[in-house]
Amino acid sequence: MSSANSLAETFLRSGKVRDLYELPNGRMVLVASDRISAFDVVLPTEVPDKGRVLTGISRFWFAETAGIVRNHLLGTDPSLISAALEGRGIEPAEIGPLDELRGRVMVCQPAIVLPIEAVVRGYLAGSGWKEYRDSGTVCGIALPAGLRESDRLPEPMFTPATKAPIGEHDENISFDTMILSTGGEVAERIRAISLELYRRASDYAAGRGI
């Protein structure tokens, strides 16, 4: 997607899927591209409008779960970018066609990023399945014997991982290891919030046959 490049004057960095920009009022802009990332590798082929679908899903769930935990989202209207840049002496036309950004933009307030990937598992799959086959555990937590791949777990499990830089892989860690990075009080709060978010989403999906 080329439209985000017209914001080059405020560009901060690109992630695997999203591009990050800074507005003069201290806010941030996340623009979801059509790039695909698999196993932390950005693939060469884009999927048209994938960024709009991703942003729509994010927007829905941030609104749905705002009562559980505050989030960084302030708005999704591209005109918010135009209004902010006008105060910097940049004409709205220099941003690029707003229609190309519509559906891809999330205007956010800055937040402190914790060095942890908060993962909740409801089913035995992925790296959890691999560890279970080897040792009968997931992130060091013992599970009942005889489970099969993709089986539903007795209870949702909070299984944190490292938040690796681009080009490196996240690694599963124990809750005790997470405490060393975040402190006990923060770790307990993250675990409680993560499990509540999972339950809310799981119940929503189950009520719709998913």
Side-chain angles (χ1 to χ4, degrees), residues 166-205:
I166 295 175
E168 299 181 21
H169 296 292
D170 296 341
E171 295 183 5
N172 295 335
I173 58 175
S174 68
F175 186 69
D176 287 341
T177 301
M178 175 180 169
I179 289 175
L180 296 177
S181 295
T182 65
E185 184 177 346
V186 171
E188 292 285 357
R189 185 163 181 261
I190 292 172
R191 178 166 63 180
I193 290 172
S194 298
L195 289 168
E196 181 59 27
L197 289 172
Y198 179 90
R199 292 188 183 100
R200 173 71 63 85
S202 179
D203 290 347
Y204 182 95

PDB file of all heavy atoms in Angstrom, residues 166-205:
ATOM      1  N   ILE A 166      11.780  -7.699  15.298  1.00  0.00           N
ATOM      2  CA  ILE A 166      11.512  -8.163  13.937  1.00  0.00           C
ATOM      3  C   ILE A 166      12.660  -9.056  13.474  1.00  0.00           C
ATOM      4  O   ILE A 166      13.835  -8.734  13.655  1.00  0.00           O
ATOM      5  CB  ILE A 166      11.341  -6.973  12.978  1.00  0.00           C
ATOM      6  CG1 ILE A 166      10.092  -6.171  13.362  1.00  0.00           C
ATOM      7  CG2 ILE A 166      11.234  -7.431  11.529  1.00  0.00           C
ATOM      8  CD1 ILE A 166       9.909  -4.909  12.550  1.00  0.00           C
ATOM      9  N   GLY A 167      12.306 -10.200  12.886  1.00  0.00           N
ATOM     10  CA  GLY A 167      13.313 -11.130  12.387  1.00  0.00           C
ATOM     11  C   GLY A 167      13.647 -12.229  13.362  1.00  0.00           C
ATOM     12  O   GLY A 167      14.313 -13.201  13.007  1.00  0.00           O
ATOM     13  N   GLU A 168      13.182 -12.082  14.616  1.00  0.00           N
ATOM     14  CA  GLU A 168      13.402 -13.120  15.608  1.00  0.00           C
ATOM     15  C   GLU A 168      12.065 -13.715  16.027  1.00  0.00           C
ATOM     16  O   GLU A 168      11.007 -13.120  15.822  1.00  0.00           O
ATOM     17  CB  GLU A 168      14.137 -12.546  16.826  1.00  0.00           C
ATOM     18  CG  GLU A 168      15.511 -11.975  16.501  1.00  0.00           C
ATOM     19  CD  GLU A 168      16.213 -11.442  17.738  1.00  0.00           C
ATOM     20  OE1 GLU A 168      15.835 -11.852  18.857  1.00  0.00           O
ATOM     21  OE2 GLU A 168      17.131 -10.621  17.587  1.00  0.00           O
ATOM     22  N   HIS A 169      12.104 -14.902  16.612  1.00  0.00           N
ATOM     23  CA  HIS A 169      10.884 -15.602  16.980  1.00  0.00           C
ATOM     24  C   HIS A 169      10.549 -15.392  18.456  1.00  0.00           C
ATOM     25  O   HIS A 169      11.436 -15.406  19.309  1.00  0.00           O
ATOM     26  CB  HIS A 169      11.029 -17.102  16.703  1.00  0.00           C
ATOM     27  CG  HIS A 169      11.214 -17.436  15.255  1.00  0.00           C
ATOM     28  ND1 HIS A 169      10.222 -17.267  14.311  1.00  0.00           N
ATOM     29  CD2 HIS A 169      12.281 -17.923  14.582  1.00  0.00           C
ATOM     30  CE1 HIS A 169      10.666 -17.636  13.123  1.00  0.00           C
ATOM     31  NE2 HIS A 169      11.916 -18.042  13.268  1.00  0.00           N
ATOM     32  N   ASP A 170       9.244 -15.205  18.739  1.00  0.00           N
ATOM     33  CA  ASP A 170       8.803 -15.197  20.130  1.00  0.00           C
ATOM     34  C   ASP A 170       9.068 -16.577  20.741  1.00  0.00           C
ATOM     35  O   ASP A 170       8.966 -17.597  20.056  1.00  0.00           O
ATOM     36  CB  ASP A 170       7.306 -14.889  20.216  1.00  0.00           C
ATOM     37  CG  ASP A 170       6.971 -13.496  19.699  1.00  0.00           C
ATOM     38  OD1 ASP A 170       7.885 -12.666  19.613  1.00  0.00           O
ATOM     39  OD2 ASP A 170       5.789 -13.253  19.388  1.00  0.00           O
ATOM     40  N   GLU A 171       9.372 -16.602  22.030  1.00  0.00           N
ATOM     41  CA  GLU A 171       9.620 -17.861  22.711  1.00  0.00           C
ATOM     42  C   GLU A 171       8.717 -17.971  23.939  1.00  0.00           C
ATOM     43  O   GLU A 171       8.570 -17.007  24.696  1.00  0.00           O
ATOM     44  CB  GLU A 171      11.085 -17.972  23.147  1.00  0.00           C
ATOM     45  CG  GLU A 171      12.068 -18.039  21.987  1.00  0.00           C
ATOM     46  CD  GLU A 171      13.497 -18.227  22.463  1.00  0.00           C
ATOM     47  OE1 GLU A 171      13.689 -18.406  23.690  1.00  0.00           O
ATOM     48  OE2 GLU A 171      14.411 -18.196  21.619  1.00  0.00           O
ATOM     49  N   ASN A 172       8.106 -19.141  24.122  1.00  0.00           N
ATOM     50  CA  ASN A 172       7.271 -19.364  25.288  1.00  0.00           C
ATOM     51  C   ASN A 172       8.119 -19.294  26.558  1.00  0.00           C
ATOM     52  O   ASN A 172       9.257 -19.762  26.589  1.00  0.00           O
ATOM     53  CB  ASN A 172       6.599 -20.735  25.209  1.00  0.00           C
ATOM     54  CG  ASN A 172       5.628 -20.829  24.060  1.00  0.00           C
ATOM     55  OD1 ASN A 172       5.096 -19.823  23.600  1.00  0.00           O
ATOM     56  ND2 ASN A 172       5.380 -22.041  23.580  1.00  0.00           N
ATOM     57  N   ILE A 173       7.554 -18.687  27.602  1.00  0.00           N
ATOM     58  CA  ILE A 173       8.241 -18.613  28.878  1.00  0.00           C
ATOM     59  C   ILE A 173       7.264 -18.992  29.993  1.00  0.00           C
ATOM     60  O   ILE A 173       6.043 -18.995  29.800  1.00  0.00           O
ATOM     61  CB  ILE A 173       8.803 -17.193  29.149  1.00  0.00           C
ATOM     62  CG1 ILE A 173       7.666 -16.154  29.119  1.00  0.00           C
ATOM     63  CG2 ILE A 173       9.892 -16.846  28.154  1.00  0.00           C
ATOM     64  CD1 ILE A 173       8.107 -14.751  29.493  1.00  0.00           C
ATOM     65  N   SER A 174       7.794 -19.301  31.154  1.00  0.00           N
ATOM     66  CA  SER A 174       6.947 -19.608  32.296  1.00  0.00           C
ATOM     67  C   SER A 174       6.429 -18.318  32.925  1.00  0.00           C
ATOM     68  O   SER A 174       6.966 -17.222  32.689  1.00  0.00           O
ATOM     69  CB  SER A 174       7.734 -20.407  33.341  1.00  0.00           C
ATOM     70  OG  SER A 174       8.740 -19.585  33.925  1.00  0.00           O
ATOM     71  N   PHE A 175       5.399 -18.452  33.758  1.00  0.00           N
ATOM     72  CA  PHE A 175       4.865 -17.278  34.446  1.00  0.00           C
ATOM     73  C   PHE A 175       5.909 -16.700  35.400  1.00  0.00           C
ATOM     74  O   PHE A 175       6.025 -15.481  35.547  1.00  0.00           O
ATOM     75  CB  PHE A 175       3.595 -17.656  35.203  1.00  0.00           C
ATOM     76  CG  PHE A 175       2.892 -16.483  35.827  1.00  0.00           C
ATOM     77  CD1 PHE A 175       2.259 -15.532  35.045  1.00  0.00           C
ATOM     78  CD2 PHE A 175       2.871 -16.329  37.208  1.00  0.00           C
ATOM     79  CE1 PHE A 175       1.617 -14.442  35.601  1.00  0.00           C
ATOM     80  CE2 PHE A 175       2.224 -15.242  37.789  1.00  0.00           C
ATOM     81  CZ  PHE A 175       1.602 -14.302  36.990  1.00  0.00           C
ATOM     82  N   ASP A 176       6.700 -17.559  36.024  1.00  0.00           N
ATOM     83  CA  ASP A 176       7.750 -17.085  36.931  1.00  0.00           C
ATOM     84  C   ASP A 176       8.794 -16.254  36.170  1.00  0.00           C
ATOM     85  O   ASP A 176       9.299 -15.255  36.687  1.00  0.00           O
ATOM     86  CB  ASP A 176       8.428 -18.265  37.623  1.00  0.00           C
ATOM     87  CG  ASP A 176       7.540 -18.909  38.676  1.00  0.00           C
ATOM     88  OD1 ASP A 176       6.572 -18.241  39.111  1.00  0.00           O
ATOM     89  OD2 ASP A 176       7.796 -20.059  39.052  1.00  0.00           O
ATOM     90  N   THR A 177       9.117 -16.672  34.944  1.00  0.00           N
ATOM     91  CA  THR A 177      10.056 -15.895  34.133  1.00  0.00           C
ATOM     92  C   THR A 177       9.457 -14.556  33.752  1.00  0.00           C
ATOM     93  O   THR A 177      10.152 -13.530  33.723  1.00  0.00           O
ATOM     94  CB  THR A 177      10.443 -16.681  32.865  1.00  0.00           C
ATOM     95  OG1 THR A 177      11.036 -17.920  33.249  1.00  0.00           O
ATOM     96  CG2 THR A 177      11.423 -15.898  32.009  1.00  0.00           C
ATOM     97  N   MET A 178       8.164 -14.537  33.470  1.00  0.00           N
ATOM     98  CA  MET A 178       7.492 -13.274  33.164  1.00  0.00           C
ATOM     99  C   MET A 178       7.583 -12.311  34.345  1.00  0.00           C
ATOM    100  O   MET A 178       7.798 -11.104  34.159  1.00  0.00           O
ATOM    101  CB  MET A 178       6.025 -13.550  32.812  1.00  0.00           C
ATOM    102  CG  MET A 178       5.197 -12.296  32.597  1.00  0.00           C
ATOM    103  SD  MET A 178       3.485 -12.693  32.183  1.00  0.00           S
ATOM    104  CE  MET A 178       2.726 -11.074  32.319  1.00  0.00           C
ATOM    105  N   ILE A 179       7.439 -12.826  35.552  1.00  0.00           N
ATOM    106  CA  ILE A 179       7.505 -11.987  36.748  1.00  0.00           C
ATOM    107  C   ILE A 179       8.842 -11.256  36.822  1.00  0.00           C
ATOM    108  O   ILE A 179       8.919 -10.098  37.244  1.00  0.00           O
ATOM    109  CB  ILE A 179       7.256 -12.825  38.011  1.00  0.00           C
ATOM    110  CG1 ILE A 179       5.775 -13.242  38.075  1.00  0.00           C
ATOM    111  CG2 ILE A 179       7.634 -12.051  39.276  1.00  0.00           C
ATOM    112  CD1 ILE A 179       5.456 -14.178  39.221  1.00  0.00           C
ATOM    113  N   LEU A 180       9.906 -11.928  36.389  1.00  0.00           N
ATOM    114  CA  LEU A 180      11.223 -11.300  36.417  1.00  0.00           C
ATOM    115  C   LEU A 180      11.279 -10.072  35.506  1.00  0.00           C
ATOM    116  O   LEU A 180      12.044  -9.138  35.751  1.00  0.00           O
ATOM    117  CB  LEU A 180      12.291 -12.311  35.992  1.00  0.00           C
ATOM    118  CG  LEU A 180      12.478 -13.534  36.902  1.00  0.00           C
ATOM    119  CD1 LEU A 180      13.512 -14.478  36.312  1.00  0.00           C
ATOM    120  CD2 LEU A 180      12.874 -13.101  38.310  1.00  0.00           C
ATOM    121  N   SER A 181      10.469 -10.073  34.436  1.00  0.00           N
ATOM    122  CA  SER A 181      10.461  -8.949  33.493  1.00  0.00           C
ATOM    123  C   SER A 181       9.509  -7.839  33.908  1.00  0.00           C
ATOM    124  O   SER A 181       9.782  -6.655  33.676  1.00  0.00           O
ATOM    125  CB  SER A 181      10.074  -9.438  32.093  1.00  0.00           C
ATOM    126  OG  SER A 181      11.044 -10.314  31.575  1.00  0.00           O
ATOM    127  N   THR A 182       8.374  -8.198  34.502  1.00  0.00           N
ATOM    128  CA  THR A 182       7.319  -7.217  34.751  1.00  0.00           C
ATOM    129  C   THR A 182       7.082  -6.907  36.222  1.00  0.00           C
ATOM    130  O   THR A 182       6.465  -5.887  36.539  1.00  0.00           O
ATOM    131  CB  THR A 182       5.987  -7.703  34.154  1.00  0.00           C
ATOM    132  OG1 THR A 182       5.575  -8.897  34.849  1.00  0.00           O
ATOM    133  CG2 THR A 182       6.129  -8.002  32.680  1.00  0.00           C
ATOM    134  N   GLY A 183       7.544  -7.801  37.100  1.00  0.00           N
ATOM    135  CA  GLY A 183       7.183  -7.682  38.506  1.00  0.00           C
ATOM    136  C   GLY A 183       5.917  -8.476  38.775  1.00  0.00           C
ATOM    137  O   GLY A 183       5.076  -8.670  37.887  1.00  0.00           O
ATOM    138  N   GLY A 184       5.759  -8.949  39.996  1.00  0.00           N
ATOM    139  CA  GLY A 184       4.650  -9.838  40.334  1.00  0.00           C
ATOM    140  C   GLY A 184       3.279  -9.212  40.198  1.00  0.00           C
ATOM    141  O   GLY A 184       2.351  -9.816  39.657  1.00  0.00           O
ATOM    142  N   GLU A 185       3.105  -7.978  40.677  1.00  0.00           N
ATOM    143  CA  GLU A 185       1.789  -7.345  40.640  1.00  0.00           C
ATOM    144  C   GLU A 185       1.313  -7.117  39.207  1.00  0.00           C
ATOM    145  O   GLU A 185       0.152  -7.397  38.870  1.00  0.00           O
ATOM    146  CB  GLU A 185       1.839  -6.013  41.397  1.00  0.00           C
ATOM    147  CG  GLU A 185       0.491  -5.321  41.508  1.00  0.00           C
ATOM    148  CD  GLU A 185       0.550  -4.046  42.326  1.00  0.00           C
ATOM    149  OE1 GLU A 185       1.566  -3.834  43.018  1.00  0.00           O
ATOM    150  OE2 GLU A 185      -0.415  -3.257  42.270  1.00  0.00           O
ATOM    151  N   VAL A 186       2.213  -6.623  38.362  1.00  0.00           N
ATOM    152  CA  VAL A 186       1.846  -6.395  36.955  1.00  0.00           C
ATOM    153  C   VAL A 186       1.554  -7.723  36.268  1.00  0.00           C
ATOM    154  O   VAL A 186       0.587  -7.841  35.501  1.00  0.00           O
ATOM    155  CB  VAL A 186       2.972  -5.635  36.225  1.00  0.00           C
ATOM    156  CG1 VAL A 186       2.700  -5.580  34.724  1.00  0.00           C
ATOM    157  CG2 VAL A 186       3.111  -4.235  36.779  1.00  0.00           C
ATOM    158  N   ALA A 187       2.373  -8.737  36.532  1.00  0.00           N
ATOM    159  CA  ALA A 187       2.177 -10.047  35.902  1.00  0.00           C
ATOM    160  C   ALA A 187       0.817 -10.626  36.274  1.00  0.00           C
ATOM    161  O   ALA A 187       0.096 -11.163  35.415  1.00  0.00           O
ATOM    162  CB  ALA A 187       3.296 -11.000  36.305  1.00  0.00           C
ATOM    163  N   GLU A 188       0.448 -10.551  37.537  1.00  0.00           N
ATOM    164  CA  GLU A 188      -0.850 -11.070  37.974  1.00  0.00           C
ATOM    165  C   GLU A 188      -2.000 -10.327  37.291  1.00  0.00           C
ATOM    166  O   GLU A 188      -2.995 -10.936  36.879  1.00  0.00           O
ATOM    167  CB  GLU A 188      -0.981 -10.940  39.491  1.00  0.00           C
ATOM    168  CG  GLU A 188      -0.046 -11.831  40.293  1.00  0.00           C
ATOM    169  CD  GLU A 188      -0.484 -13.292  40.297  1.00  0.00           C
ATOM    170  OE1 GLU A 188      -1.538 -13.607  39.720  1.00  0.00           O
ATOM    171  OE2 GLU A 188       0.257 -14.107  40.874  1.00  0.00           O
ATOM    172  N   ARG A 189      -1.853  -9.006  37.149  1.00  0.00           N
ATOM    173  CA  ARG A 189      -2.914  -8.212  36.512  1.00  0.00           C
ATOM    174  C   ARG A 189      -3.031  -8.560  35.034  1.00  0.00           C
ATOM    175  O   ARG A 189      -4.142  -8.685  34.509  1.00  0.00           O
ATOM    176  CB  ARG A 189      -2.622  -6.720  36.707  1.00  0.00           C
ATOM    177  CG  ARG A 189      -3.736  -5.824  36.179  1.00  0.00           C
ATOM    178  CD  ARG A 189      -3.639  -4.430  36.743  1.00  0.00           C
ATOM    179  NE  ARG A 189      -4.724  -3.594  36.242  1.00  0.00           N
ATOM    180  CZ  ARG A 189      -4.613  -2.740  35.238  1.00  0.00           C
ATOM    181  NH1 ARG A 189      -3.442  -2.604  34.628  1.00  0.00           N
ATOM    182  NH2 ARG A 189      -5.650  -2.028  34.841  1.00  0.00           N
ATOM    183  N   ILE A 190      -1.886  -8.709  34.361  1.00  0.00           N
ATOM    184  CA  ILE A 190      -1.921  -9.065  32.945  1.00  0.00           C
ATOM    185  C   ILE A 190      -2.586 -10.422  32.761  1.00  0.00           C
ATOM    186  O   ILE A 190      -3.402 -10.615  31.854  1.00  0.00           O
ATOM    187  CB  ILE A 190      -0.502  -9.082  32.356  1.00  0.00           C
ATOM    188  CG1 ILE A 190       0.075  -7.665  32.308  1.00  0.00           C
ATOM    189  CG2 ILE A 190      -0.498  -9.691  30.953  1.00  0.00           C
ATOM    190  CD1 ILE A 190       1.532  -7.611  31.921  1.00  0.00           C
ATOM    191  N   ARG A 191      -2.249 -11.369  33.617  1.00  0.00           N
ATOM    192  CA  ARG A 191      -2.849 -12.706  33.500  1.00  0.00           C
ATOM    193  C   ARG A 191      -4.358 -12.645  33.693  1.00  0.00           C
ATOM    194  O   ARG A 191      -5.114 -13.234  32.908  1.00  0.00           O
ATOM    195  CB  ARG A 191      -2.225 -13.657  34.518  1.00  0.00           C
ATOM    196  CG  ARG A 191      -2.856 -15.057  34.480  1.00  0.00           C
ATOM    197  CD  ARG A 191      -2.022 -16.085  35.228  1.00  0.00           C
ATOM    198  NE  ARG A 191      -1.907 -15.791  36.651  1.00  0.00           N
ATOM    199  CZ  ARG A 191      -1.221 -16.555  37.504  1.00  0.00           C
ATOM    200  NH1 ARG A 191      -0.587 -17.636  37.065  1.00  0.00           N
ATOM    201  NH2 ARG A 191      -1.150 -16.232  38.783  1.00  0.00           N
ATOM    202  N   ALA A 192      -4.821 -11.925  34.715  1.00  0.00           N
ATOM    203  CA  ALA A 192      -6.258 -11.839  34.983  1.00  0.00           C
ATOM    204  C   ALA A 192      -6.999 -11.167  33.828  1.00  0.00           C
ATOM    205  O   ALA A 192      -8.059 -11.639  33.387  1.00  0.00           O
ATOM    206  CB  ALA A 192      -6.493 -11.084  36.290  1.00  0.00           C
ATOM    207  N   ILE A 193      -6.443 -10.072  33.316  1.00  0.00           N
ATOM    208  CA  ILE A 193      -7.085  -9.359  32.208  1.00  0.00           C
ATOM    209  C   ILE A 193      -7.102 -10.229  30.955  1.00  0.00           C
ATOM    210  O   ILE A 193      -8.110 -10.297  30.242  1.00  0.00           O
ATOM    211  CB  ILE A 193      -6.362  -8.029  31.936  1.00  0.00           C
ATOM    212  CG1 ILE A 193      -6.621  -7.042  33.070  1.00  0.00           C
ATOM    213  CG2 ILE A 193      -6.806  -7.431  30.601  1.00  0.00           C
ATOM    214  CD1 ILE A 193      -5.794  -5.766  32.980  1.00  0.00           C
ATOM    215  N   SER A 194      -5.990 -10.904  30.677  1.00  0.00           N
ATOM    216  CA  SER A 194      -5.896 -11.731  29.469  1.00  0.00           C
ATOM    217  C   SER A 194      -6.935 -12.850  29.491  1.00  0.00           C
ATOM    218  O   SER A 194      -7.594 -13.122  28.480  1.00  0.00           O
ATOM    219  CB  SER A 194      -4.492 -12.326  29.350  1.00  0.00           C
ATOM    220  OG  SER A 194      -3.519 -11.306  29.223  1.00  0.00           O
ATOM    221  N   LEU A 195      -7.072 -13.510  30.630  1.00  0.00           N
ATOM    222  CA  LEU A 195      -8.051 -14.598  30.739  1.00  0.00           C
ATOM    223  C   LEU A 195      -9.475 -14.076  30.604  1.00  0.00           C
ATOM    224  O   LEU A 195     -10.328 -14.723  29.979  1.00  0.00           O
ATOM    225  CB  LEU A 195      -7.869 -15.332  32.065  1.00  0.00           C
ATOM    226  CG  LEU A 195      -6.608 -16.193  32.164  1.00  0.00           C
ATOM    227  CD1 LEU A 195      -6.367 -16.641  33.598  1.00  0.00           C
ATOM    228  CD2 LEU A 195      -6.694 -17.411  31.234  1.00  0.00           C
ATOM    229  N   GLU A 196      -9.746 -12.895  31.161  1.00  0.00           N
ATOM    230  CA  GLU A 196     -11.082 -12.312  31.033  1.00  0.00           C
ATOM    231  C   GLU A 196     -11.374 -11.920  29.585  1.00  0.00           C
ATOM    232  O   GLU A 196     -12.491 -12.126  29.082  1.00  0.00           O
ATOM    233  CB  GLU A 196     -11.218 -11.104  31.948  1.00  0.00           C
ATOM    234  CG  GLU A 196     -12.590 -10.426  31.904  1.00  0.00           C
ATOM    235  CD  GLU A 196     -13.731 -11.353  32.292  1.00  0.00           C
ATOM    236  OE1 GLU A 196     -13.502 -12.319  33.053  1.00  0.00           O
ATOM    237  OE2 GLU A 196     -14.867 -11.118  31.834  1.00  0.00           O
ATOM    238  N   LEU A 197     -10.380 -11.369  28.880  1.00  0.00           N
ATOM    239  CA  LEU A 197     -10.558 -11.033  27.474  1.00  0.00           C
ATOM    240  C   LEU A 197     -10.851 -12.286  26.655  1.00  0.00           C
ATOM    241  O   LEU A 197     -11.726 -12.287  25.778  1.00  0.00           O
ATOM    242  CB  LEU A 197      -9.302 -10.342  26.937  1.00  0.00           C
ATOM    243  CG  LEU A 197      -9.028  -8.924  27.431  1.00  0.00           C
ATOM    244  CD1 LEU A 197      -7.653  -8.457  26.967  1.00  0.00           C
ATOM    245  CD2 LEU A 197     -10.104  -7.960  26.940  1.00  0.00           C
ATOM    246  N   TYR A 198     -10.114 -13.356  26.939  1.00  0.00           N
ATOM    247  CA  TYR A 198     -10.327 -14.608  26.207  1.00  0.00           C
ATOM    248  C   TYR A 198     -11.747 -15.123  26.445  1.00  0.00           C
ATOM    249  O   TYR A 198     -12.440 -15.520  25.499  1.00  0.00           O
ATOM    250  CB  TYR A 198      -9.313 -15.667  26.640  1.00  0.00           C
ATOM    251  CG  TYR A 198      -9.500 -16.982  25.925  1.00  0.00           C
ATOM    252  CD1 TYR A 198      -8.848 -17.248  24.729  1.00  0.00           C
ATOM    253  CD2 TYR A 198     -10.369 -17.947  26.432  1.00  0.00           C
ATOM    254  CE1 TYR A 198      -9.043 -18.440  24.059  1.00  0.00           C
ATOM    255  CE2 TYR A 198     -10.578 -19.139  25.767  1.00  0.00           C
ATOM    256  CZ  TYR A 198      -9.906 -19.387  24.579  1.00  0.00           C
ATOM    257  OH  TYR A 198     -10.123 -20.567  23.925  1.00  0.00           O
ATOM    258  N   ARG A 199     -12.171 -15.117  27.702  1.00  0.00           N
ATOM    259  CA  ARG A 199     -13.509 -15.637  28.010  1.00  0.00           C
ATOM    260  C   ARG A 199     -14.593 -14.805  27.322  1.00  0.00           C
ATOM    261  O   ARG A 199     -15.583 -15.351  26.814  1.00  0.00           O
ATOM    262  CB  ARG A 199     -13.719 -15.667  29.519  1.00  0.00           C
ATOM    263  CG  ARG A 199     -12.834 -16.693  30.234  1.00  0.00           C
ATOM    264  CD  ARG A 199     -13.212 -16.823  31.710  1.00  0.00           C
ATOM    265  NE  ARG A 199     -12.324 -17.755  32.383  1.00  0.00           N
ATOM    266  CZ  ARG A 199     -11.297 -17.396  33.139  1.00  0.00           C
ATOM    267  NH1 ARG A 199     -11.023 -16.107  33.305  1.00  0.00           N
ATOM    268  NH2 ARG A 199     -10.542 -18.307  33.726  1.00  0.00           N
ATOM    269  N   ARG A 200     -14.417 -13.489  27.316  1.00  0.00           N
ATOM    270  CA  ARG A 200     -15.404 -12.627  26.655  1.00  0.00           C
ATOM    271  C   ARG A 200     -15.485 -12.954  25.170  1.00  0.00           C
ATOM    272  O   ARG A 200     -16.581 -13.101  24.607  1.00  0.00           O
ATOM    273  CB  ARG A 200     -15.013 -11.161  26.852  1.00  0.00           C
ATOM    274  CG  ARG A 200     -15.872 -10.153  26.069  1.00  0.00           C
ATOM    275  CD  ARG A 200     -17.281 -10.030  26.631  1.00  0.00           C
ATOM    276  NE  ARG A 200     -17.220  -9.507  27.981  1.00  0.00           N
ATOM    277  CZ  ARG A 200     -17.155  -8.209  28.297  1.00  0.00           C
ATOM    278  NH1 ARG A 200     -17.146  -7.287  27.331  1.00  0.00           N
ATOM    279  NH2 ARG A 200     -17.137  -7.809  29.547  1.00  0.00           N
ATOM    280  N   ALA A 201     -14.327 -13.067  24.519  1.00  0.00           N
ATOM    281  CA  ALA A 201     -14.317 -13.357  23.081  1.00  0.00           C
ATOM    282  C   ALA A 201     -14.825 -14.767  22.794  1.00  0.00           C
ATOM    283  O   ALA A 201     -15.553 -14.986  21.826  1.00  0.00           O
ATOM    284  CB  ALA A 201     -12.900 -13.181  22.535  1.00  0.00           C
ATOM    285  N   SER A 202     -14.437 -15.721  23.636  1.00  0.00           N
ATOM    286  CA  SER A 202     -14.869 -17.102  23.432  1.00  0.00           C
ATOM    287  C   SER A 202     -16.382 -17.227  23.574  1.00  0.00           C
ATOM    288  O   SER A 202     -17.041 -17.895  22.771  1.00  0.00           O
ATOM    289  CB  SER A 202     -14.165 -18.015  24.445  1.00  0.00           C
ATOM    290  OG  SER A 202     -14.579 -19.352  24.297  1.00  0.00           O
ATOM    291  N   ASP A 203     -16.947 -16.582  24.593  1.00  0.00           N
ATOM    292  CA  ASP A 203     -18.399 -16.629  24.786  1.00  0.00           C
ATOM    293  C   ASP A 203     -19.123 -15.943  23.626  1.00  0.00           C
ATOM    294  O   ASP A 203     -20.180 -16.413  23.185  1.00  0.00           O
ATOM    295  CB  ASP A 203     -18.774 -15.941  26.113  1.00  0.00           C
ATOM    296  CG  ASP A 203     -18.326 -16.743  27.332  1.00  0.00           C
ATOM    297  OD1 ASP A 203     -17.963 -17.917  27.170  1.00  0.00           O
ATOM    298  OD2 ASP A 203     -18.321 -16.171  28.436  1.00  0.00           O
ATOM    299  N   TYR A 204     -18.570 -14.826  23.156  1.00  0.00           N
ATOM    300  CA  TYR A 204     -19.186 -14.117  22.023  1.00  0.00           C
ATOM    301  C   TYR A 204     -19.227 -15.018  20.804  1.00  0.00           C
ATOM    302  O   TYR A 204     -20.245 -15.123  20.105  1.00  0.00           O
ATOM    303  CB  TYR A 204     -18.397 -12.842  21.742  1.00  0.00           C
ATOM    304  CG  TYR A 204     -18.980 -11.997  20.620  1.00  0.00           C
ATOM    305  CD1 TYR A 204     -19.840 -10.937  20.903  1.00  0.00           C
ATOM    306  CD2 TYR A 204     -18.661 -12.253  19.281  1.00  0.00           C
ATOM    307  CE1 TYR A 204     -20.368 -10.164  19.891  1.00  0.00           C
ATOM    308  CE2 TYR A 204     -19.195 -11.489  18.263  1.00  0.00           C
ATOM    309  CZ  TYR A 204     -20.043 -10.446  18.573  1.00  0.00           C
ATOM    310  OH  TYR A 204     -20.584  -9.686  17.555  1.00  0.00           O
ATOM    311  N   ALA A 205     -18.099 -15.677  20.528  1.00  0.00           N
ATOM    312  CA  ALA A 205     -18.018 -16.549  19.361  1.00  0.00           C
ATOM    313  C   ALA A 205     -18.933 -17.761  19.502  1.00  0.00           C
ATOM    314  O   ALA A 205     -19.640 -18.141  18.562  1.00  0.00           O
ATOM    315  CB  ALA A 205     -16.577 -16.993  19.140  1.00  0.00           C
TER     316      ALA A 205
END
